[in-house]
Amino acid sequence: MTVSRDPSSGALAGLRVVDASTLFAGPMAAMHLGDMGADVVKVEHPSRPDPSRTHGAAKDGVNLWWKTLGRNKRTVTADLGTEGGREVFLALAAESDVVVENFRPGTLERWGLGYDELSERNPGLVLARVSGFGQIGPYRTRPGFGTLAEAMSGFAAMTGEPDGPPTLPPFGLADGVASLATAFAVMVALSARAGTGRGQVVDTAIIEPILAVLGPQITRWDQLGTVQPRTGNRSSNNAPRNTYRTGDGHWVAVSTSAQSIAERVVRLVGRPNLVDEPWFARGADRARHADELDEAVGGWIARRTRDEVVAAFEEAQAAVAPVYDASDIVADPQFRELGTVHEVEDPELGPMLMQGPLFRLSDNDGVVRFTGRPHGADTDEVLGELGFAPERIAELRERGEV
């Protein structure tokens, strides 16, 4: 479907967000807000665009990642290290509710654009600062990327095969989790502003949100003196829990976090006697018998097609899911019913598919209004809205400040 650029029906209609961040947590947080109707203005350097415009796959020379990450954002250019760029940024901040930035701590202050200067123009402004290690502490000025957070959070240490190396994810996991935390923090700060009239600073350190979702590893170490080991696709908390190859060459994932589900699975695969074993009543005890359980479940699955396995598990009310790639996701009836995948008209490439907003609202559902825009495509429009005369915009552009 072709979608409108009008955000007026979104839940966050009337909210203006300035996205002055790059690669990837900050821009993704701004994308989430834009999906729900916020007017997001993306600020990039005139000659050094957001590097995500060149990351990943491209079609006919057009980057595809940016089409998603830059969606629902108007794009302007400004060199914030110049007087003209500072003038533009201050004008934007004065008319906005939120600024998202991910420069190294101290950079905005060096440019005369710290929160003191911004809030003097706009006391209600929320400044979301996203960095690898946060705004304080001995690592604050280190270059920070999601990969480092995946390493330092404990994620890599607990991921991978028992006899293999620590394993990193093949995508920006820590950045994605940090983007959700930042968007949530922004909404919390805006809620507080409704009562006080004052904005505040959000400090997101990318090393923290991923740590928060990894379970009780710190409490376990504190109380038991042990760390979570690498167990591959298995779990130390329950079994059977693994991926299994079907007879027609596909893969499925099985989970038995609930005791009742575990009992249904072993009955389904023809091993009801296992339920009577004294070790079967607790997930952690079942995990110690994972070899035996995997052999039973894996052998049964290997003799059937994926469709047969999924149908049998569904009938038994046991938990299974096929292992999908993108083509499977697009074809799946559940994703279709949810409206997870949106078709959006792109001016450069025509109709394109991408994942939509994170959730649905009954009255103000999110929407992808438009795909990522070309670098600086909306500079004249946005600056004109801020009161910059065409002659002033031309002057700034001639000096390379926008």
Side-chain angles (χ1 to χ4, degrees):
M1 60 181 176
T2 302
V3 294
S4 169
R5 290 185 58 183
D6 179 16
S8 60
S9 63
L12 298 183
L15 190 76
R16 173 170 281 180
V17 177
V18 178
D19 175 11
S21 59
T22 60
L23 286 179
F24 286 98
M28 197 175 296
M31 182 198 77
H32 295 318
L33 299 173
D35 285 351
M36 303 313 297
D39 175 20
V40 181
V41 177
K42 173 77 173 180
V43 179
E44 299 173 84
H45 191 278
S47 60
R48 296 192 299 275
D50 186 331
S52 64
R53 289 181 178 272
T54 60
H55 269 55
K59 178 182 178 182
D60 299 333
V62 178
N63 179 264
L64 299 178
W65 201 334
W66 173 252
K67 292 299 182 181
T68 298
L69 189 63
R71 71 192 192 194
N72 294 333
K73 301 178 185 182
R74 296 191 289 169
T75 62
V76 306
T77 57
D79 182 350
L80 306 189
T82 65
E83 279 302 313
R86 181 176 183 272
E87 176 189 358
V88 168
F89 198 75
L90 286 171
L92 263 174
E95 299 297 326
S96 299
D97 300 281
V98 181
V99 169
V100 181
E101 65 94 4
N102 72 336
F103 299 104
R104 288 199 200 183
T107 301
L108 282 187
E109 287 75 10
R110 188 172 70 249
W111 291 335
L113 293 171
Y115 192 65
D116 289 345
E117 290 84 359
L118 298 179
S119 61
E120 183 178 354
R121 297 284 190 101
N122 182 357
L125 183 71
V126 172
L127 175 62
R129 314 196 76 167
V130 184
S131 61
F133 303 101
Q135 299 297 310
I136 59 175
Y139 303 162
R140 62 189 292 268
T141 59
R142 288 184 180 181
F145 298 99
T147 298
L148 310 188
E150 288 144 12
M152 290 182 64
S153 64
F155 173 85
M158 65 176 68
T159 303
E161 296 298 325
D163 57 351
T167 302
L168 297 167
F171 65 100
L173 175 63
D175 283 297
V177 177
S179 78
L180 297 172
T182 302
F184 171 60
V186 164
M187 298 311 299
V188 171
L190 291 172
S191 178
R193 185 183 73 173
T196 66
R198 298 190 307 274
Q200 57 184 298
V201 177
V202 169
D203 179 7
T204 301
I206 298 175
I207 57 174
E208 289 186 300
I210 186 172
L211 176 59
V213 302
L214 288 178
Q217 59 168 331
I218 292 175
T219 307
R220 170 179 173 163
W221 173 83
D222 174 62
Q223 296 296 307
L224 300 177
T226 62
V227 297
Q228 182 170 328
R230 289 191 290 280
T231 57
N233 287 328
R234 289 178 171 177
S235 169
S236 58
N237 300 313
N238 63 79
R241 192 265 197 181
N242 213 327
T243 57
Y244 306 93
R245 190 177 180 89
T246 64
D248 56 349
H250 295 286
W251 291 86
V252 296
V254 172
S255 175
T256 57
S257 296
Q259 178 68 23
S260 60
I261 299 295
E263 294 175 5
R264 292 170 192 166
V265 168
V266 295
R267 289 190 176 108
L268 171 65
V269 302
R271 295 293 301 277
N273 59 299
L274 294 174
V275 176
D276 298 323
E277 294 287 348
W279 50 262
F280 197 85
R282 292 184 66 253
D285 290 337
R286 292 200 310 273
R288 285 188 276 273
H289 291 262
D291 287 342
E292 182 177 356
L293 291 167
D294 276 348
E295 182 179 357
V297 175
W300 185 90
I301 287 174
R303 296 190 298 273
R304 290 159 176 84
T305 67
R306 181 175 71 176
D307 289 347
E308 290 170 342
V309 170
V310 171
F313 267 72
E314 184 173 356
E315 183 177 355
Q317 297 186 45
V320 71
V323 176
Y324 277 173
D325 61 21
S327 64
D328 298 310
I329 293 168
V330 171
D332 184 83
Q334 180 64 29
F335 283 124
R336 284 186 177 178
E337 184 68 22
L338 291 171
T340 304
V341 179
H342 288 214
E343 181 178 277
V344 191
E345 187 70 27
D346 180 74
E348 295 178 282
L349 298 177
M352 63 169 50
L353 300 180
M354 63 179 62
Q355 60 268 41
L358 294 167
F359 50 82
R360 285 156 299 286
L361 295 175
S362 59
D363 293 335
N364 301 104
D365 207 5
V367 67
V368 182
R369 301 185 300 278
F370 54 95
T371 57
R373 305 265 292 148
H375 179 233
D378 305 291
T379 299
D380 288 9
E381 176 183 274
V382 173
L383 267 59
E385 293 172 357
L386 297 173
F388 285 75
E391 297 78 14
R392 178 59 175 157
I393 298 172
E395 179 184 358
L396 293 171
R397 182 170 284 121
E398 185 177 352
R399 296 208 302 253
E401 296 178 330
V402 302

